[in-house]
Amino acid sequence: MAVQKLPIAKAINESLRKAMETDPKVLIMGEDVGKLGGVFRVTDGLFKDFGEDRVIDTPLAESGIVGTAIGLALRGYRPVVEIQFDGFVFPAYDQIVTQLAKMHARALGKIKLPVVVRIPYGGGIGAVEHHSESPEALFAHVAGLKVVSPSNASDAYWMMQQAIQSDDPIIFFEPKRRYWDKGEVDTDAIPGALHKARTVRDGSDLTLVAYGPMVKVCLEAAAAAQEEGKSIEVVDLRSMSPIDFDAVQASVERTRRLVVVHEAPVFYGAGAEIAARITERCFYHLEAPVLRVGGYHAPYPPARLEEEYLPGLDRVLDAVDRSLAY
Amino acid sequence: MTVESTAARKPRRSSKRTAGAGAKKTAAEPELVQLLTPEGERVEHPDYDVDLSAEELRGLYRDMVLTRRFDAEATALQRQGELGLWASLLGQEAAQIGSGRALRDDDYVFPTYREHGVAWCRGVDPTNLLGMFRGVNHGGWDPNSNNFHLYTIVIGSQTLHATGYAMGVAKDGADSAVVAYFGDGASSQGDVAEAFTFSAVYNAPVVFFCQNNQWAISEPTEKQMRVPLYQRAQGFGFPGVRVDGNDVLACLAVTKAALARARRGEGPTLVEAFTYRMGAHTTSDDPTKYRADEEREAWEAKDPILRLRAYLENAGHADAAFFEELETESETLGKRVREAVRAMPDPEPMAIFDHIYADGHALVDEERAQFAAYQASFSDGEGN
């Protein structure tokens, strides 16, 4: 059946399965990805069907996971590694930034590093410390890496296919609080390009740009604003490196207002980059400064405070009102 | 645990080293595998041996001499301002040539940044090693053309790459092996411990070849470890062995045995080549500030090249003509390296944007175009 209704976690699971069936060089690696099927069950069933040679439960050592994946990639494999949670990626950050990102360039293009690093990220699930962070800007800042995040099941399926097929290292941020959101996945479709943004709601008064878990919040905000007679366009960025600035620019040239929404801290975040570039490109189109809604310059708070920290409907609508007031 | 070797299949004679095996050891100093004393006397070891023809012995000597000559030339070129930096291997020729000549062509090497002698054994043109030190690239050679990976500057990172590569070798069902080179300082890094763990858990065909050259820039080994380095392997569940790193024959024998073990599917080995970096860590530091002259003098008496020469001469394996010819060859190499470095072109400015991504990246394309336009603005002004 070509079209299925799947939760995001299952869509990724199906995508990994297809990739493994298609290419015997695709490997899954990570902590608990085997018999358990991952703490979010994203790799559920793969161990049973592909065996321990291809679905590799690893020692609890993130640098080791990424470092050995680099070696396997150099040997011709295409490892897809799972970092169990966002805040656990930092032991592997050195391998990702100093090795994975740069090796292709250092070899003057003679070797390729087709490694996908999957990271369930973001908050909203009431987790303990280090389980709710959004470190995407730290990776997008590094040349040699590509950074993407799907917001729905169809993208989760197709973007994972494309990430695995890419010869570049890709950091694949999975919005963990959306893992159980269902959506239609057409496995026979012709997917859009991995790094193209998509307008997920048309509007004429203001553009909301988001990616990953915040796309849903922005769509809800746009629907609420509609009731007040405001027409809000929502652009799902899908890729944080590269960023499809052309799509954002085209939208802003129509709506003349832009609010960027993400869970990550606003300071030095993706919103800062988008605001700067769009101001440069659209200065004479803008009716208001580009506004940003996101996390604070504070450690991700304990779970009982995360609703205050995370951008929700009201904070997005507040920014919309501030923009429209100019 | 010890490493099996072909020699080990013979009945064991004694666990003690045979007489004449070198200097007296204190209780705190572990035994070294040694086949050639600092005086150039051939000795036996119960577990390791090599059987080499006179021609092969001369070959090892030639490798060490030419490697030292190359290294000296590079050091001189740095002093002349032709290289921004050089990491000399002076004193470590036996460790590198001995281990390097133990390898088969289909084995794969992951070096740190000082393995000029291993690169020599792999057939990498030595002038290729100088690009990164001159500042024209960050590596530049194709790792797959000689199965010799790029130099890795972040300490110990490559031990994980080697382990992953070896896991791939095992998955492929191949019987080649992988060698990860690193130093005593790198042994303190978490990545090295993780590489030990992964290689043991997956029984990866990898040999960890640590050149313990006693100093990590100015940090002595006392700042890296409280037990002899090779003993660490035991805690990870694989054998470790300490070899006289200034004895090319012992390094060859021990590495061969470790590689054979890996090929048999018996997993990793840690080889600690106990050696000495006679020069500075790199041309940027000054060892006179942190270590005593007497220490270097004591190690000079164990020089790997002099001891093999003494053996070659005493055993009648090489005549004066051989040494003279080698001297000429050595000078020719030095001249070739000198000329190659000076002729090395600076990269084109646009190279900044080359090979960042295999599949392209919109931002790189945009910045490349901006940079090209900026560059062109100068030539337009001059030319028109």
Side-chain angles (χ1 to χ4, degrees):
Chain A
M1 194 171 66
V3 181
Q4 294 172 280
K5 196 153 189 180
L6 298 175
I8 284 181
K10 183 67 177 162
I12 298 170
N13 177 276
E14 290 293 330
S15 189
L16 294 171
R17 175 177 292 278
K18 187 185 175 194
M20 294 186 81
E21 283 167 353
T22 309
D23 183 352
K25 294 294 186 184
V26 175
L27 304 173
I28 308 289
M29 300 172 68
E31 300 162 9
D32 306 304
V33 297
K35 282 186 182 167
L36 179 66
V39 292
F40 290 103
R41 310 293 184 268
V42 171
T43 56
D44 199 29
L46 300 178
F47 180 87
K48 183 168 75 67
D49 295 338
F50 294 97
E52 64 178 354
D53 266 357
R54 298 191 61 198
V55 182
I56 305 167
D57 270 325
T58 63
L60 270 69
E62 284 78 8
S63 189
I65 294 169
V66 173
T68 52
I70 290 171
L72 281 157
L74 293 172
R75 180 72 189 181
Y77 288 87
R78 302 184 89 87
V80 181
V81 310
E82 176 175 302
I83 300 294
Q84 205 156 62
F85 285 93
D86 35 63
F88 303 170
V89 73
F90 297 107
Y93 195 66
D94 167 50
Q95 280 288 345
I96 294 172
V97 169
T98 71
Q99 307 300 317
L100 183 61
K102 293 181 174 160
M103 220 175 261
H104 174 70
R106 294 180 58 231
L108 302 182
K110 300 293 199 312
I111 52 176
K112 295 187 172 72
L113 279 301
V115 177
V116 178
V117 181
R118 295 180 39 234
I119 307 177
Y121 83 121
I125 62 164
V128 295
E129 202 181 8
H130 311 304
H131 288 67
S132 304
E133 296 165 15
S134 299
E136 60 272 16
L138 298 174
F139 295 90
H141 195 64
V142 178
L145 302 176
K146 290 176 176 173
V147 182
V148 301
S149 179
S151 69
N152 59 66
S154 177
D155 273 353
Y157 180 86
W158 282 112
M159 288 168 73
M160 181 60 75
Q161 291 290 302
Q162 293 164 321
I164 293 170
Q165 283 158 17
S166 170
D167 283 331
D168 287 313
I170 295 195
I171 314 298
F172 197 97
F173 280 103
E174 298 171 4
K176 69 168 87 79
R177 71 156 130 164
R178 306 289 179 223
Y179 267 150
W180 303 279
D181 289 6
K182 285 188 175 178
E184 280 193 355
V185 178
D186 181 352
T187 54
D188 290 339
I190 297 167
L194 178 57
H195 301 289
K196 287 285 178 209
R198 182 186 300 121
T199 302
V200 290
R201 181 187 171 106
D202 291 325
S204 53
D205 295 337
L206 181 145
T207 300
L208 284 174
V209 163
Y211 51 84
M214 279 295 122
V215 173
K216 187 175 181 182
V217 172
C218 288
L219 285 170
E220 288 168 357
Q226 183 74 44
E227 290 172 18
E228 298 168 9
K230 298 164 193 162
S231 172
I232 309 292
E233 184 148 304
V234 180
V235 175
D236 179 355
L237 214 53
R238 301 173 75 245
S239 172
M240 285 85 81
S241 178
I243 288 177
D244 183 358
F245 286 111
D246 291 345
V248 182
Q249 178 179 352
S251 176
V252 171
E253 285 179 359
R254 281 198 307 277
T255 66
R256 308 173 86 84
R257 286 182 169 80
L258 174 63
V259 176
V260 189
V261 183
H262 51 60
E263 288 191 18
V266 164
F267 190 60
Y268 276 96
E273 180 60 40
I274 294 165
R277 296 255 174 191
I278 291 304
T279 302
E280 215 175 289
R281 286 182 178 219
C282 307
F283 187 73
Y284 293 108
H285 289 90
L286 286 166
E287 298 285 351
V290 179
L291 300 180
R292 292 169 289 162
V293 183
Y296 302 108
H297 192 55
Y300 193 89
R304 298 284 176 154
L305 283 174
E306 70 179 340
E307 289 308 318
E308 305 299 323
Y309 175 91
L310 291 167
L313 201 57
D314 290 339
R315 277 177 62 198
V316 175
L317 288 170
D318 178 67
V320 166
D321 289 346
R322 279 191 287 132
S323 177
L324 290 168
Y326 276 91
Chain B
M1 278 181 277
T2 56
V3 178
E4 292 293 315
S5 70
T6 47
R9 297 202 186 107
K10 291 185 239 167
R12 287 185 173 220
R13 289 183 293 271
S14 162
S15 63
K16 298 219 185 268
R17 287 161 17 143
T18 47
K24 288 192 232 44
K25 298 284 170 188
T26 64
E29 274 186 88
E31 296 280 299
L32 297 165
V33 176
Q34 192 177 72
L35 298 176
L36 201 58
T37 70
E39 295 75 33
E41 186 190 350
R42 188 76 164 82
V43 292
E44 290 185 10
H45 188 278
D47 299 325
Y48 299 96
D49 200 9
V50 282
D51 183 18
L52 299 175
S53 67
E55 188 184 354
E56 287 168 325
L57 289 164
R58 286 196 300 273
L60 292 174
Y61 182 80
R62 174 180 175 271
D63 288 336
M64 288 200 289
V65 166
L66 293 181
T67 298
R68 181 171 288 187
R69 183 67 184 85
F70 164 70
D71 185 74
E73 192 63 45
T75 303
L77 285 163
Q78 195 281 332
R79 297 301 184 218
Q80 293 161 18
E82 300 286 351
L83 299 178
L85 184 79
W86 182 244
S88 167
L89 64 42
L90 185 63
Q92 297 176 225
E93 296 86 353
Q96 296 195 13
I97 300 301
S99 59
R101 285 297 177 212
L103 297 161
R104 276 189 344 212
D105 283 352
D106 59 339
D107 295 332
Y108 213 101
V109 170
F110 286 83
T112 170
Y113 44 76
R114 201 190 294 282
E115 272 66 71
H116 322 312
V118 184
W120 172 265
C121 294
R122 300 305 286 169
V124 177
D125 189 307
T127 60
N128 277 346
L129 306 175
L130 299 169
M132 70 181 289
F133 293 101
R134 188 169 171 85
V136 302
N137 59 44
H138 293 309
W141 62 87
D142 179 356
N144 291 326
S145 56
N146 301 77
N147 283 9
F148 186 79
H149 191 68
L150 302 169
Y151 278 177
T152 300
I153 291 183
V154 178
I155 302 294
S157 294
Q158 75 283 1
T159 58
L160 281 168
H161 310 156
T163 299
Y165 194 95
M167 288 162 65
V169 168
K171 282 183 193 304
D172 293 344
D175 78 337
S176 57
V178 181
V179 183
Y181 286 88
F182 61 107
D184 43 294
S187 74
S188 298
Q189 287 281 356
D191 274 3
V192 173
E194 293 187 22
F196 288 176
T197 296
F198 275 67
S199 64
V201 165
Y202 300 114
N203 204 42
V206 59
V207 176
F208 296 105
F209 194 92
C210 178
Q211 291 169 84
N212 177 357
N213 69 11
Q214 313 301 324
W215 292 91
I217 308 188
S218 70
E219 306 276 5
T221 50
E222 300 89 81
K223 290 280 191 282
Q224 314 294 338
M225 63 203 71
R226 299 302 294 266
V227 295
L229 184 62
Y230 75 98
Q231 290 177 4
R232 205 174 290 178
Q234 194 176 3
F236 290 88
F238 55 88
V241 58
R242 180 179 274 188
V243 60
D244 184 338
N246 287 19
D247 173 352
V248 70
L249 301 185
C251 288
L252 178 68
V254 166
T255 311
K256 268 198 167 164
L259 289 166
R261 185 174 181 279
R263 294 188 213 294
R264 290 195 301 268
E266 293 169 24
T269 301
L270 170 60
V271 178
E272 178 191 4
F274 203 73
T275 183
Y276 191 71
R277 177 249 290 165
M278 289 196 205
H281 164 73
T282 68
T283 45
S284 290
D285 78 319
D286 175 6
T288 64
K289 294 187 76 156
Y290 56 82
R291 69 186 191 191
D293 292 343
E294 302 80 57
E295 183 182 298
R296 176 174 160 141
E297 285 160 18
W299 278 93
E300 278 174 352
K302 303 179 194 173
D303 187 290
I305 294 182
L306 296 180
R307 85 168 68 173
L308 184 57
R309 181 171 180 138
Y311 174 59
L312 288 175
E313 289 179 331
N314 293 339
H317 289 321
D319 57 15
F322 167 75
F323 294 109
E324 275 167 35
E325 267 173 47
L326 186 53
E327 185 57 34
T328 309
E329 191 181 3
S330 198
E331 283 312 305
T332 306
L333 174 67
K335 184 163 181 283
R336 178 163 81 83
V337 167
R338 202 155 54 237
E339 287 171 354
V341 166
R342 289 178 178 153
M344 211 175 266
D346 284 350
E348 290 297 318
M350 294 307 290
I352 291 169
F353 303 98
D354 288 347
H355 309 301
I356 302 171
Y357 294 92
D359 299 340
H361 187 286
L363 179 63
V364 174
D365 294 343
E366 184 184 324
E367 292 187 351
R368 182 194 287 113
Q370 286 168 353
F371 183 73
Y374 177 69
Q375 293 260 307
S377 71
F378 293 101
S379 55
D380 285 354
E382 284 169 25
N384 299 328

